[in-house]
């Protein structure tokens, strides 16, 4: 592939550009807890990428693991679909059969994203 075509195929779609600061891999640690179990610490990694297809989406994957053993805990993946009007749709699926659709807004100037669950479905029930 020549440089011109490679540059063109890796260009960020204009709808994705306001959220391009998310692109890349983000790692951290956290603490979780539920009323029925002891609190726990975990590692976490989120990955945001813009598919080479050039479509107006950001691909998303997320995984967590136990800090003490490295044992995997949770994972999910999906797509973020920003719209030019500042609205945003996020579609997420988990291997457990849980799927979620979130809608909200983003502010490119403030780097603020606000999302609200619209649909949560669990195929395993």
């Amino acid at each position: 592939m020549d440089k011109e075509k490679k540059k063109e195929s890796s260009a960020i779609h204009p709808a994705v550009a306001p959220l391009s600061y998310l692109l890349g891999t983000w790692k951290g640690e956290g603490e979780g807890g539920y009323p029925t179990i002891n609190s726990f610490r975990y590692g976490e990694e989120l990955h945001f990428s813009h598919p080479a297809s050039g479509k107006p989406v950001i691909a998303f994957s997320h995984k967590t693991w136990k800090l003490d053993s490295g044992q995997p805990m949770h994972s999910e993946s999906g797509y973020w679909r920003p719209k030019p009007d500042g609205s945003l749709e996020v579609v997420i699926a988990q291997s457990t059969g849980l799927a979620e659709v979130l809608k909200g807004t983003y502010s490119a100037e403030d780097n603020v994203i606000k999302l609200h669950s619209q649909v949560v479905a669990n195929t395993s029930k």
Side-chain angles (χ1 to χ4, degrees):
M1 176 182 293
D2 66 84
K3 288 182 182 180
E4 179 105 8
K5 285 188 179 183
K6 187 174 183 179
K7 184 179 177 185
E8 186 177 306
S9 67
S10 65
I12 294 182
H13 190 282
V16 170
L19 295 178
S20 63
Y21 67 91
L22 291 173
L23 298 177
T25 300
W26 301 70
K27 292 183 180 182
E29 295 180 3
E31 185 172 334
Y34 299 93
T36 57
I37 63 173
N38 292 330
S39 295
F40 57 93
R41 296 197 40 76
Y42 62 92
E44 172 170 45
E45 179 179 294
L46 297 104
H47 182 74
F48 296 91
S49 62
H50 184 47
S53 67
K55 293 184 178 181
V57 299
I58 295 174
F60 159 81
S61 65
H62 173 246
K63 63 182 179 179
T64 62
W65 60 89
K66 293 182 179 179
L67 281 176
D68 56 352
S69 67
Q71 178 183 0
M73 294 175 61
H74 169 82
S75 65
E76 59 188 39
S77 61
Y79 294 96
W80 289 49
R81 301 172 355 142
K83 308 294 181 188
D85 67 356
S87 64
L88 177 64
E89 299 171 351
V90 178
V91 180
I92 299 172
Q94 298 179 24
S95 62
T96 59
L98 186 71
E100 186 173 5
V101 176
L102 302 102
K103 289 189 177 184
T105 60
Y106 66 88
S107 167
E109 296 81 34
D110 300 324
N111 291 346
V112 173
I113 298 169
K114 295 181 181 180
L115 294 169
H116 302 281
S117 291
Q118 299 294 301
V119 176
V120 178
N122 191 346
T123 62
S124 64
K125 289 189 176 190

